[in-house]
Amino acid sequence: MKISPQQQQQPATTPTARDRLSYQVALSSYQSRHGLDKVAWVTWLLVLGMSLLWMLTAYKAALAAGAHSWQTILTHVWTNAISIQPADDASLTQVLIDYGAKYNPAIVQQHEYWRFLTPMFLHANLLHLGLNMLNLLMLGIFLERLLGHTRYLFLYIITGIISVLASFYFAPEEVSLGASGAIFGLVGVFSIFVITHRRAFPFGGLFSILYLIVIIGINLGVGFMITNVDNYAHFGGLISGCLLGLWFSPLYRSSSPYTVVDRHSLAKRWPLALLTILGTLILTVISLYLIGTKV
């Protein structure tokens, strides 16, 4: 990627100068793209797809609870929009299981391994969907511009799967679903990007890092205070996001006076991306074996 003379005002020979150059280029790289490539379309498609899927499962749950007219269906959806009513919990849970929620008996006994992927696209009610989609839009649009479409989707899917694996192993009795594990994965990736480029921030990035710690702590703390929140999935997503961020978060270095190269791009790190996929499969097999010995 070519850079302007303003971005390369002095040779990036010191760690601080290299970090500042990499940070500036990473934030502005999307501006050189054209057309649809400049739009965070993966994030918008994820939000649209998950919203439509919630509408479908909410409709099916209303039918399962005995609603038949559009008025009774909408009443059922609105009644459960913020808090699932005890009378509707069983029918909603069964619908979500049917559509792919993490449900250990189905995974272990019926070998429905696709359930390691599908839970990150499902949501229980309107509040659950709204909070996750708001977080995804706020962070996802920025990160998709930073990472590029393919790398962004790759990290979202892998950290999402690992978050489901964490829930599968550490919370085997819980029915789990939601995009929050993958969103925590994106938070982990961004945290590593900030830490890697800490010299580009005032005071060595101290306040930025402390801000991330506070935000992560608050979100995990809320999970401990509110029932039915799967913090194991959150931890799994966050830890895997931090690890993958070390390998795949943008890191630009000069290859000539006015040219920089992202050393962590998928084009350069595709063997590591393949190893990541293989490692995720191995982790899945190990989890299945360990859980299987307990059944």
Side-chain angles (χ1 to χ4, degrees):
M1 174 183 294
K2 292 184 178 181
I3 59 175
S4 65
Q6 290 76 20
Q7 289 176 310
Q8 183 68 302
Q9 292 178 352
Q10 58 182 353
T13 56
T14 66
T16 299
R18 286 196 294 268
D19 281 0
R20 287 176 177 172
L21 176 63
S22 178
Y23 182 74
Q24 291 170 2
V25 174
L27 292 185
S28 61
S29 60
Y30 82 97
Q31 295 176 352
S32 63
R33 301 169 192 158
H34 302 283
L36 189 61
D37 197 36
K38 199 172 183 178
V39 179
W41 55 267
V42 173
T43 299
W44 286 108
L45 281 180
L46 286 172
V47 170
L48 176 61
M50 284 186 273
S51 299
L52 291 174
L53 189 54
W54 169 75
M55 293 179 189
L56 175 62
T57 55
Y59 168 72
K60 291 292 186 179
L63 293 181
H68 298 292
S69 66
W70 280 109
Q71 183 178 1
T72 55
I73 290 172
L74 290 175
T75 299
H76 181 276
V77 172
W78 180 251
T79 302
N80 292 281
I82 296 177
S83 179
I84 305 300
Q85 303 304 307
D88 299 315
D89 184 63
S91 58
L92 175 61
T93 299
Q94 186 57 55
V95 167
L96 293 172
I97 290 173
D98 292 343
Y99 276 82
K102 188 228 80 181
Y103 182 56
N104 279 29
I107 297 173
V108 176
Q109 299 169 12
Q110 301 174 32
H111 310 296
E112 295 178 354
Y113 303 129
W114 43 269
R115 290 183 184 270
F116 289 119
L117 176 66
T118 52
M120 71 181 80
F121 303 108
L122 293 168
H123 292 86
N125 61 2
L126 186 59
L127 178 64
H128 189 203
L129 175 77
L131 290 176
N132 277 346
M133 294 307 95
L134 178 62
N135 287 325
L136 182 58
L137 284 172
M138 291 175 61
L139 179 63
I141 291 175
F142 171 77
L143 268 186
E144 187 173 350
R145 290 172 173 175
L146 190 74
L147 298 166
H149 312 300
T150 305
R151 180 166 39 172
Y152 170 76
L153 183 60
F154 169 75
L155 292 172
Y156 181 90
I157 295 295
I158 293 295
T159 57
I161 290 174
I162 294 175
S163 73
V164 176
L165 281 171
S167 175
F168 171 75
Y169 183 78
F170 292 105
E173 297 180 357
E174 301 294 329
V175 176
S176 181
L177 65 154
S180 54
I183 293 171
F184 265 91
L186 296 180
V187 171
V189 172
F190 179 62
S191 299
I192 294 302
F193 174 79
V194 171
I195 293 171
T196 303
H197 294 85
R198 61 190 179 278
R199 297 182 186 90
F201 295 87
F203 304 103
L206 176 63
F207 294 113
S208 300
I209 294 170
L210 287 176
Y211 173 76
L212 285 171
I213 292 173
V214 169
I215 293 300
I216 292 169
I218 289 174
N219 280 276
L220 291 175
V222 169
F224 285 113
M225 291 185 292
I226 299 177
T227 58
N228 298 324
V229 174
D230 192 347
N231 257 343
Y232 290 111
H234 294 169
F235 275 114
L238 180 63
I239 293 170
S240 61
C242 289
L243 181 60
L244 293 178
L246 290 172
W247 302 335
F248 297 107
S249 65
L251 184 67
Y252 288 90
R253 290 293 182 258
S254 300
S255 59
S256 69
Y258 296 110
T259 305
V260 292
V261 175
D262 183 3
R263 293 183 178 178
H264 289 178
S265 67
L266 284 183
K268 290 187 173 294
R269 295 219 153 183
W270 64 266
L272 192 53
L274 292 178
L275 285 175
T276 299
I277 295 172
L278 178 61
T280 304
L281 291 174
I282 292 172
L283 187 62
T284 303
V285 172
I286 293 173
S287 299
L288 284 166
Y289 172 76
L290 293 176
I291 286 292
T293 60
K294 298 179 181 180
V295 175

